[in-house]
Amino acid sequence: PSLLIDSAGGGAGQRATRLAVVNDDMPFLVDSIAGTITARGLTIGRLLHPVLSFERDRRGRVTGIAAADGHARESVIYLEFDRVGARDRGSLPDEILAVLADVRAAVEDWARMKTALRDAAERIAEREGSALIQWFAQGNLTILGHRLEARDGTASEGLGILRGSEPAVWNDDTRAAAFAWFERGGGEPLLAKADLIATVHRRAPIDLVVTARREAGKVVALDITAGLWTSAALAARPDTVPVLRSHLAALDIEHGFDAS
């Protein structure tokens, strides 16, 4: 990414901070950058987002605007927002670059994370639990990360924003409780909220979809998919959501319950 931040001119009391970012075009860029700024309590007054193809020399410098065919598409994002002091102006670029790295990781690994989620569904014997994970994979979860965690917290098979051992999605006690849930025969998947706010797409607590990995019938690791419920999922009728629909069907209709 290429990033520039400075002060925009204006009359007395009208100065603002302006930010320009050029990055390979990909999903989640605008909302992730905007979320980084508004999370600091700043108001965005202007946002422009043309997507262009550039001609560049061997050093990467722009020499012209090219026709789209045969050239990579690049997002050019320009924002103006409340003026920030020199200290905040110095730290904001590093924060935005970290967010852009999270976006790139989530986008690059999306296909493999979706496959991992569907593989988890195949390992669940209970039909409705498996159907719920498939439902998430069908556009009802914005998938951001995936990893396996052993009982001691050792991470492996990391993808997306969870490529490394950090960030932690929960504490040791919560991980132990998740292992205990499956060892007691608790249903799969286990749905939880992470101790982590998403930096990609929208600023909200990350949703976790957790299943058990077993060897010889023993739970040896937790299969964790991290993401955000989509707006379509949040607006879905309860009687169309796997697992939930089965509970609704079991209710006594004579009590006047209406699933709608």
Side-chain angles (χ1 to χ4, degrees), residues 20 60 62 69 115 127 140 149 159 197 222 230-231 237 240 257:
V62 173
D69 295 343
T115 297
R127 183 175 61 84
N140 290 297
E149 284 195 14
L159 295 169
I197 301 296
L222 301 177
T230 65
S231 56
R237 282 174 52 99
T240 66
F257 183 81

Side-chain angles (χ1 to χ4, degrees), residues 29 31 44 127 131 175 181 190 199 201 219 228 235 244 257:
L29 290 175
D31 43 2
I44 298 172
R127 183 175 61 84
R175 184 190 312 106
W181 167 262
L190 174 64
T199 58
H201 186 36
V219 179
L228 297 168
L244 184 56
F257 183 81

Side-chain angles (χ1 to χ4, degrees), residues 88-242:
D88 287 336
R89 195 163 64 245
S91 63
L92 185 57
D94 288 340
E95 185 177 356
I96 290 174
L97 289 173
V99 168
L100 291 175
D102 284 345
V103 170
R104 183 177 295 275
V107 171
E108 287 180 346
D109 291 348
W110 178 81
R112 285 188 290 170
M113 293 187 293
K114 190 172 183 178
T115 297
L117 189 60
R118 286 178 165 163
D119 288 346
E122 294 295 325
R123 289 191 293 269
I124 298 178
E126 205 280 317
R127 183 175 61 84
E128 281 291 284
S130 178
L132 180 60
I133 297 181
Q134 292 286 3
W135 183 80
F136 281 128
Q138 292 165 1
N140 290 297
L141 185 75
T142 301
I143 307 171
L144 302 179
H146 173 269
R147 71 161 59 123
L148 283 186
E149 284 195 14
R151 195 177 298 271
D152 63 359
T154 303
S156 60
E157 298 186 21
L159 295 169
I161 65 171
L162 301 182
R163 283 178 174 177
S165 59
E166 296 294 334
V169 297
W170 48 21
N171 58 35
D172 293 343
D173 290 340
T174 305
R175 184 190 312 106
F179 270 95
W181 167 262
F182 294 121
E183 289 167 341
R184 293 195 305 268
E188 296 185 73
L190 174 64
L191 305 184
K193 286 287 187 181
D195 296 333
L196 187 67
I197 301 296
T199 58
V200 179
H201 186 36
R202 69 175 188 267
R203 294 269 169 160
I206 288 179
D207 296 293
L208 302 178
V209 180
V210 187
T211 59
R213 288 280 188 98
R214 293 178 170 86
E215 293 181 4
K218 181 180 179 181
V219 179
V220 296
L222 301 177
D223 189 299
I224 304 168
T225 296
L228 297 168
W229 286 54
T230 65
S231 56
L234 295 172
R237 282 174 52 99
D239 56 347
T240 66
V241 180

